[in-house]
Amino acid sequence: MKEHYQGLGHIAVYTKNMDESIAFYEKIGGALQQRSSIPTPDGDKLLALVSFGGFTLELIQSPTPMPLTEGNVPHFAVYVDDLDAAAAELKALGIDTFMTPEKKVLPDLFGGLQNWFFTGPSGEQIELLQML
């Protein structure tokens, strides 16, 4: 079966506000690829594909209120080559949702890594990840 796998298709992220989420990901280096919608009995479900960090996010806005909690997508990680520089650039863009005051350095985890989490506009957690 594994010979059929071609790689990551996308990561789905529920959003409260599609325009706000697209603007957020564009601000931090993403690019909108496509927008669409699917009609449902409750109204249109809004969809967008955003390329970001070497993969694609599928943003989904439901026509009815839905609970947005950590369980929807606990987090997704973006590999970076320089965690400090990446975090500084995000902060310069006005991103102030880092979840801790400083990065974590974990030299014994998975061969050594450092990471720093921040949140997107719908509460999704985004991990900047640099392997050591």
Side-chain angles (χ1 to χ4, degrees):
M1 181 68 197
K2 68 181 180 180
E3 68 272 8
H4 297 294
Y5 298 134
Q6 297 179 340
L8 179 65
H10 64 262
I11 298 169
V13 176
Y14 287 121
T15 180
K16 298 174 196 171
N17 181 298
M18 183 62 73
D19 292 330
E20 182 180 285
S21 289
I22 290 170
F24 173 82
Y25 284 105
E26 287 180 331
K27 181 177 183 177
I28 65 172
L32 176 65
Q33 298 300 308
Q34 297 181 51
R35 286 184 82 149
S36 192
S37 63
I38 298 172
T40 73
D42 297 317
D44 287 346
K45 180 184 286 189
L46 305 179
L47 305 169
L49 296 177
V50 175
S51 62
F52 175 71
F55 52 89
T56 300
L57 296 174
E58 179 186 27
L59 303 176
I60 304 167
Q61 181 179 334
S62 177
T64 57
M66 54 192 212
L68 296 175
T69 63
E70 184 179 310
N72 289 320
V73 174
H75 75 272
F76 61 87
V78 178
Y79 282 121
V80 295
D81 59 357
D82 184 332
L83 179 62
D84 296 319
E89 288 181 30
L90 289 170
K91 289 179 179 184
L93 290 170
I95 305 303
D96 62 357
T97 57
F98 282 86
M99 299 176 70
T100 58
E102 296 189 16
K103 67 183 179 184
K104 289 184 183 176
V105 179
L106 305 163
D108 298 322
L109 183 61
F110 303 133
L113 63 86
Q114 56 183 354
N115 65 4
W116 207 346
F117 287 84
F118 65 102
T119 59
S122 294
E124 67 274 22
Q125 294 181 21
I126 305 163
E127 176 184 6
L128 298 177
L129 175 62
Q130 181 180 0
M131 303 310 290
L132 300 176

